[in-house]
Amino acid sequence: MFGKAISNLMIKPGKSPVLDSPEQYDLPYDDVLFETADGVSLSGWLIRGETDKVIIQSHFGVQCSR
């Protein structure tokens, strides 16, 4: 029973709230939305920098959906 509870934390995460946005830090940004091949929608912010390099930052952990 304990093992199932632990595994559910990893494979059925809760939805965590978004507490900050780039706007709060005076960063210009664009909302972006991608749909995966299996129909899952991924959303985020595109914050443009001064170069053509790209960083994709994501945070996942136990009970996190982002």
Side-chain angles (χ1 to χ4, degrees):
M1 176 130 155
F2 182 68
K4 182 178 181 182
I6 295 296
S7 67
N8 280 342
L9 288 173
M10 301 304 236
I11 62 172
K12 298 178 184 176
K15 196 167 196 178
S16 60
V18 176
L19 302 175
D20 290 336
S21 77
E23 187 173 34
Q24 291 173 287
Y25 299 95
D26 296 323
L27 293 170
Y29 68 95
D30 295 312
D31 289 311
V32 294
L33 180 65
F34 303 93
E35 188 167 326
T36 64
D38 59 352
V40 175
S41 293
L42 304 173
S43 62
W45 299 303
L46 173 61
I47 302 170
R48 298 181 191 278
E50 296 178 7
T51 71
D52 61 350
K53 296 187 174 26
V54 174
I55 297 173
I56 298 174
Q57 179 72 41
S58 64
H59 296 280
F60 290 97
V62 174
Q63 290 298 305
C64 293
S65 63
R66 293 163 178 76

